[in-house]
């Protein structure tokens, strides 16, 4: 994978590289390969991921069709932050 550095801006090139690696799933793959995963555990994990994906797709489809209400977003308050001043 290659990223071009423009105008000696290495920070921006690193950001682009990290975003591409994230999109390709390299970080996730590295995390999974850190320890050995038994084949039975891998099957269970993959099946659970598939169930999660299908439920998410069904939920989005139901929201689009108006069968269920979309989740409410928390209102943003501008001003002081909770937990201390910044």
């Amino acid at each position: 994978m290659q990223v071009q550095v423009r105008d000696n801006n290495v920070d921006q090139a690193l950001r682009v590289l990290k975003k591409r690696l994230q999109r390709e799933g390299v970080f996730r793959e590295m995390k999974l390969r850190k320890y050995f995963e038994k084949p039975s555990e891998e099957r269970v994990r993959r099946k659970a991921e598939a169930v999660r994906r299908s439920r998410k797709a069904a939920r989005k489809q139901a929201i689009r069709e108006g069968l269920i209400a979309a989740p409410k977003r928390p209102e943003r308050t501008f001003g002081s932050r909770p937990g201390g001043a910044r």
Side-chain angles (χ1 to χ4, degrees), residues 10-36:
V10 178
D11 292 332
Q12 182 181 6
L14 272 175
R15 271 198 308 270
V16 171
L17 177 65
K18 285 182 181 179
K19 190 179 288 187
R20 285 187 188 177
L21 291 173
Q22 179 74 29
R23 201 174 299 138
E24 292 289 325
V26 174
F27 294 125
R28 189 160 177 244
E29 185 76 20
M30 285 177 12
K31 186 177 177 183
L32 285 174
R33 289 178 184 256
K34 195 172 186 178
Y35 301 104
F36 178 74

Side-chain angles (χ1 to χ4, degrees), residues 76-86:
R76 295 188 68 182
T77 57
F78 297 102
S80 65
R81 293 180 169 214
R86 192 164 198 205

Side-chain angles (χ1 to χ4, degrees), residues 42-77:
E42 182 180 1
R43 279 194 302 273
V44 169
R45 178 182 51 81
R46 286 181 183 246
K47 187 164 186 169
E49 288 174 355
V51 167
R52 243 188 325 272
R53 278 194 308 271
S54 66
R55 283 185 182 161
K56 183 176 180 180
R59 187 170 50 249
K60 284 189 168 214
Q61 183 68 27
I63 289 171
R64 265 188 250 116
E65 293 175 355
L67 299 175
I68 59 174
K72 296 179 182 174
R73 293 185 177 179
E75 291 187 25
R76 295 188 68 182
T77 57

